Amino acid sequence: MIQKTTLFDDFSHIEFNVTDKCNLNCIYCYLKDMDNTKHQFHQMSKQIFDIFFDNSYQSLKKKKKIRISFWGGEPLCNFSIIRYIVNKINTIDNLIVDYLIITNGTLITNNINNFCNKNNIHLQVSIDGNKNCHDTQRLSKSGDGTFDLIMNNIESLKRNNVPYHIKMTLTKKNSEIHEFINSQSGNNVFFGIVTPLLSKIQNSDISPVDSEKIVSNIFSIFKKDTRIKIKNIDGCLIRLMNKQSFDSCGAGICQIAINYDGLIY
């Protein structure tokens, strides 16, 4: 159980891991091949969040601004707790909150669009390049590609004025990334790299990526269209050029993560 502590006084970023369930079967994910009928998935409950909220409320009241992000699994598999958390956090007067949902983009509905628009919730949507590349890496449980579904859902985000950015996981399969990024002119694009230590990667097509080609393509994109906003690429390039197969934890003094079972990291 979470106990009252000065731990909550210093944080400015809270991550909620609201479920370990996911509706996809991405080839590089640590959740790959988990059978929904055999694996018992976990979801954060209202009771778990209420314990955190009750014990952090006085600290939250003192803050002017915080960032809250929702992770999984696929967090939209537990959208009900996201809605519950946002509505409860929003009862705190004079607190500015930057909300972010890290999603694969397949479960977006009109209901979710409306809620995100109303509460200014930003979405990070995972797309691994163009259709041919994406549909070899980010698959449904039945093995089907998901590119068309996600792109349709992104169009619905645009229609509903829901802020979003793209997150692309770099592998050898999507080393030709410039075509897709060029199509996203005006949008933010973030990058990630597969971490073999966690995902037990054995496939050489996935990791390591061809760093020289990736770097060349990225810089060519910058030259052609300055409207494209490529984020966090500096850290990725350092890892690529140094052939690092690991990444550091993002947690620190000002950032905490609340797991679906109430554990704090």
Side-chain angles (χ1 to χ4, degrees):
M1 178 181 292
I2 299 173
Q3 298 187 8
K4 293 182 180 180
T5 170
T6 56
L7 165 69
F8 303 122
D9 289 341
D10 296 325
F11 66 77
S12 58
H13 183 186
I14 313 170
E15 294 184 356
F16 290 103
N17 181 15
V18 296
T19 182
D20 62 349
K21 182 178 181 179
C22 186
N23 62 318
L24 296 190
N25 200 32
C26 302
I27 62 175
Y28 45 65
C29 182
Y30 71 99
L31 292 173
K32 183 179 183 294
D33 295 326
M34 282 189 176
D35 188 336
N36 288 344
T37 62
K38 297 178 181 179
H39 178 77
Q40 183 176 355
F41 291 98
H42 307 87
Q43 307 231 85
M44 179 177 288
S45 65
K46 293 180 180 179
Q47 180 183 19
I48 288 293
F49 173 73
D50 285 343
I51 294 172
F52 167 78
F53 186 79
D54 292 343
N55 285 277
S56 62
Y57 181 74
Q58 294 302 321
S59 295
L60 289 169
K61 282 176 57 178
K62 299 175 185 176
K63 299 182 184 302
K64 295 181 179 180
K65 184 177 182 178
I66 59 170
R67 183 184 187 192
I68 292 178
S69 54
F70 300 99
W71 296 68
E74 168 51 45
L76 293 183
C77 287
N78 194 10
F79 177 67
S80 61
I81 195 65
I82 294 177
R83 181 171 49 205
Y84 182 79
I85 291 171
V86 170
N87 287 337
K88 200 150 187 178
I89 291 291
N90 286 349
T91 63
I92 302 174
D93 293 334
N94 303 316
L95 177 64
I96 299 172
V97 185
D98 290 333
Y99 292 109
L100 174 68
I101 299 176
I102 313 297
T103 176
N104 60 39
T106 62
L107 299 178
I108 297 169
T109 63
N110 287 332
N111 181 41
I112 291 173
N113 279 331
N114 292 335
F115 184 80
C116 290
N117 176 277
K118 179 181 178 180
N119 293 281
N120 195 33
I121 299 175
H122 194 108
L123 271 63
Q124 174 179 292
V125 182
S126 297
I127 305 180
D128 287 354
N130 59 29
K131 178 178 173 65
N132 289 338
C133 172
H134 177 96
D135 282 349
T136 64
Q137 298 190 162
R138 304 188 64 82
L139 308 174
S140 69
K141 294 294 185 183
S142 60
D144 297 322
T146 57
F147 182 85
D148 291 336
L149 171 61
I150 296 169
M151 293 304 294
N152 285 336
N153 286 342
I154 283 181
E155 289 303 312
S156 75
L157 294 177
K158 294 177 181 178
R159 289 194 301 270
N160 288 276
N161 296 314
V162 177
Y164 74 95
H165 66 263
I166 301 297
K167 175 67 177 293
M168 182 184 298
T169 298
L170 299 176
T171 71
K172 283 187 176 180
K173 290 178 178 291
N174 60 7
S175 59
E176 298 291 340
I177 61 175
H178 55 282
E179 178 181 344
F180 176 76
I181 296 180
N182 282 334
S183 72
Q184 297 300 306
S185 181
N187 292 324
N188 289 333
V189 179
F190 285 68
F191 293 103
I193 301 176
V194 173
T195 304
L197 291 176
L198 296 179
S199 49
K200 301 178 181 178
I201 297 295
Q202 302 295 328
N203 189 334
S204 61
D205 286 337
I206 302 173
S207 179
V209 297
D210 187 336
S211 57
E212 185 174 344
K213 181 178 288 186
I214 288 284
V215 172
S216 174
N217 284 338
I218 289 172
F219 280 106
S220 69
I221 292 167
F222 273 123
K223 292 178 181 179
K224 291 179 180 179
D225 192 344
T226 57
R227 294 173 298 172
I228 297 173
K229 305 166 187 176
I230 301 179
K231 302 290 186 178
N232 82 315
I233 193 60
D234 50 349
C236 288
L237 291 180
I238 291 172
R239 287 181 60 197
L240 286 169
M241 299 306 291
N242 292 328
K243 302 187 185 303
Q244 288 178 260
S245 61
F246 60 89
D247 200 0
S248 59
C249 175
I253 295 175
C254 296
Q255 180 177 337
I256 60 173
I258 312 300
N259 203 36
Y260 48 74
D261 54 8
L263 293 178
I264 301 176
Y265 296 91

